[in-house]
Amino acid sequence: MELNFTTLNQRAGVVFATGKAPVELTEKSRMALAMDSASNLQTSPNAGIPALFTTYVDPKVIEVLVTPMKTAKAFAECKKGDFTSTTVTFQVLESTGETSSYGDFNNNGLSDANVNYPSRQPYHYQTFIRIGERELAIAGAAGLDWASRKQIAAALTLNKFQNKSYLRGIEGLQNYGLINDPRLLPSIVDLSWESMDGQEVYDSIQRLFAQLIKQTDGLVDLETPMTMLLSPNASVQLTKTNTYNVNVADQVNKNFPNLKIVTIPEYKTEAGELVQLIVDEYEGQPTVELGFTEKMRVHPLIQMSSGYEQKRSQGTLGAIIYRPLFIASMLAS
């Protein structure tokens, strides 16, 4: 059936290009067209599709990097005491004795033992996790496991502090670190390794080893298992070569076969580059242990009116140095 384009035009103002002669519009159709004009918008002009609908959110979460915590890589962590401990005491025993000339009726000469009880004070610290119900729901809409992320953040916060205590202890307590224990022997001083060539850097390490031999009166030798602590910046200098194109690291590995090198960022200090050469153990007794009372205590989960709260805590004893004579230190500046 053929459409009546003329009637459609007159009644609704709809015009189809049919190729036929144009039809003169009536006054009524002109009014309809005028009322339907696109130039008189009742809504805001369209500025395009909202960017929300063309934005792609990558589900992969990118972590912000923090300074590595590498002290525990150098020495073992060990539990001393518990959540209730206020003091941790150690027994240090020294054998004493003297001899005298033998005589059938002489009563001279006596052997004995002396014991001391040095102590350390633990420090307990805490952080909180707080999660609101609406906060959790909003994060879930974005594909984030918000509760898990906050638990990870709490563990990282506590462990960062623990690592710091292993190096510097806790001010005001009998709680010391690898860097500032008052029983450490004085550091030898040398020039910065950055100003040295490869041979001079190796000679500097030799001087540090000679200081360790002097402190221990020959109790250690080249075969003794040792750990050298230095900053990442100082470790770069181990790649320098001597006149025979042999780098420092190769020389160290050859002459100290049981030496382990661990980089710790905090060994770059304001006073200069700190380097420590530490005997791992002697006669089964470790030189250093990193002490804690609680590595992670998870306290009860408290339900609030529209959210949750939970405390996490730890306790540290710092670095327990049993025999300071087995640690030789050097400050290169």
Side-chain angles (χ1 to χ4, degrees):
M1 181 177 66
E2 183 178 356
L3 292 174
N4 190 330
F5 293 109
T6 301
T7 302
L8 187 61
N9 180 11
Q10 292 175 348
R11 293 183 178 180
V14 178
V15 180
F16 284 90
T18 61
K20 298 180 180 180
V23 179
E24 184 178 352
L25 297 177
T26 65
E27 187 65 25
K28 182 178 180 181
S29 63
R30 289 193 183 94
M31 289 293 294
L33 286 174
M35 292 295 292
D36 222 16
S37 173
S39 61
N40 297 325
L41 291 177
Q42 301 302 309
T43 58
S44 301
N46 181 18
I49 301 299
L52 169 67
F53 299 110
T54 57
T55 300
Y56 173 75
V57 179
D58 193 334
K60 179 181 179 181
V61 177
I62 301 173
E63 299 277 356
V64 175
L65 298 179
V66 297
T67 305
M69 300 166 285
K70 303 183 69 174
T71 314
K73 182 179 178 180
F75 304 104
E77 294 180 284
C78 59
K79 179 176 174 61
K80 304 288 185 182
D82 56 31
F83 188 58
T84 65
S85 301
T86 57
T87 303
V88 176
T89 300
F90 305 90
Q91 300 181 78
V92 178
L93 190 142
E94 179 183 7
S95 298
T96 64
E98 61 180 5
T99 63
S100 67
S101 299
Y102 175 80
D104 284 343
F105 300 100
N106 288 352
N107 295 321
N108 298 329
L110 181 67
S111 295
D112 201 352
N114 184 62
V115 62
N116 285 324
Y117 294 91
S119 62
R120 291 291 182 266
Q121 294 174 296
Y123 177 74
H124 294 91
Y125 51 98
Q126 66 184 40
T127 189
F128 270 88
I129 299 172
R130 292 187 176 94
I131 305 172
E133 290 182 0
R134 184 169 183 266
E135 172 191 14
L136 191 64
I138 292 173
L144 292 173
D145 187 354
W146 206 233
S148 295
R149 299 311 306 179
K150 289 202 173 188
Q151 291 176 30
I152 292 171
L156 178 62
T157 300
L158 292 172
N159 287 336
K160 286 288 289 182
F161 187 89
Q162 188 89 4
N163 183 75
K164 183 179 179 181
S165 74
Y166 290 157
L167 294 171
R168 298 189 178 277
I170 304 299
E171 186 177 0
L173 297 178
Q174 290 181 326
N175 190 313
Y176 310 109
L178 270 170
I179 292 177
N180 65 348
D181 192 304
R183 299 187 305 143
L184 288 172
L185 301 179
S187 301
I188 63 175
V189 179
D190 206 343
L191 298 175
S192 170
W193 287 1
E194 292 185 359
S195 64
M196 299 180 179
D197 60 25
Q199 187 59 49
E200 290 172 331
V201 172
Y202 179 73
D203 292 342
S204 180
I205 295 174
Q206 276 189 318
R207 283 192 287 275
L208 183 61
F209 177 68
Q211 177 66 24
L212 183 62
I213 295 295
K214 179 180 178 181
Q215 291 176 189
T216 60
D217 198 20
L219 290 176
V220 301
D221 55 33
L222 293 172
E223 303 293 328
T224 300
M226 295 177 288
T227 298
M228 185 164 68
L229 306 180
L230 71 170
S231 75
N233 183 65
S235 70
V236 175
Q237 312 309 317
L238 300 180
T239 63
K240 290 182 175 180
T241 59
N242 59 18
T243 54
Y244 302 102
N245 202 32
V246 179
N247 66 32
V248 179
D250 288 339
Q251 289 179 287
V252 170
N253 289 335
K254 180 179 179 180
N255 292 291
F256 303 95
N258 295 315
L259 176 67
K260 177 177 67 175
I261 299 176
V262 178
T263 59
I264 299 179
E266 290 83 357
Y267 272 57
K268 181 177 176 61
T269 69
E270 294 182 359
E273 294 284 353
L274 177 64
V275 183
Q276 287 182 320
L277 189 60
I278 303 175
V279 176
D280 292 342
E281 64 175 25
Y282 186 78
E283 294 182 342
Q285 172 62 53
T287 301
V288 177
E289 285 185 328
L290 308 176
F292 62 87
T293 57
E294 300 278 349
K295 195 59 188 288
M296 172 65 76
R297 175 174 282 264
V298 180
H299 297 263
L301 181 68
I302 301 174
Q303 183 169 356
M304 315 295 284
S305 58
S306 59
Y308 304 89
E309 182 178 271
Q310 190 175 51
K311 181 190 293 187
R312 305 287 176 93
S313 65
Q314 292 184 176
T316 181
L317 284 162
I320 306 168
I321 300 176
Y322 297 105
R323 290 169 171 167
L325 79 161
F326 284 123
I327 300 178
S329 303
M330 178 175 65
L331 190 62
S333 57

